[in-house]
Amino acid sequence: MAFRINFLALNQPIKGDVLPMEGNPVATYSTSTSATAPVGTQYVTISHDGAIEVQVDGLDGVSDAYQNKKFGMVGAGTLNIPNVSEGAVITVTEA
């Protein structure tokens, strides 16, 4: 399974309740199964070629009830995760 974690910052303001997933990279992408978000990160995208599970520890501005949950993707695609800030740990595993 191959995947890439892209660390991004917004390049345009949020309009209403929609988060525009069109950002600028703040660091080189990671292919490590556990990566720490660098300074300037506001969200991440994870592109993958197979089934994955993703857990993010340390989402910014999110209540404790929603922290450290696993996201699951069945097939290939891209997962966008907002509210990721510096120091958040993103863990990607094969599902």
Side-chain angles (χ1 to χ4, degrees):
M1 173 196 63
F3 65 90
R4 287 186 179 181
I5 303 169
N6 294 296
F7 304 100
L8 303 162
L10 298 174
N11 64 6
Q12 62 186 28
I14 295 173
K15 298 175 183 174
D17 293 332
V18 178
L19 177 63
M21 293 294 175
E22 301 169 2
N24 296 316
V26 298
T28 301
Y29 66 85
S30 174
T31 57
S32 172
T33 57
S34 183
T36 301
V39 174
T41 302
Q42 292 179 311
Y43 70 98
V44 298
T45 61
I46 302 171
S47 300
H48 53 96
D49 67 356
I52 61 169
E53 286 184 348
V54 178
Q55 181 172 335
V56 181
D57 298 330
L59 290 170
D60 188 36
V62 177
S63 75
D64 289 343
Y66 299 104
Q67 295 286 350
N68 310 325
K69 305 291 188 209
K70 288 188 178 179
F71 300 92
M73 301 293 285
V74 176
T78 300
L79 177 63
N80 298 309
I81 304 173
N83 301 323
V84 177
S85 60
E86 174 187 354
V89 177
I90 301 100
T91 305
V92 180
T93 55
E94 191 170 356

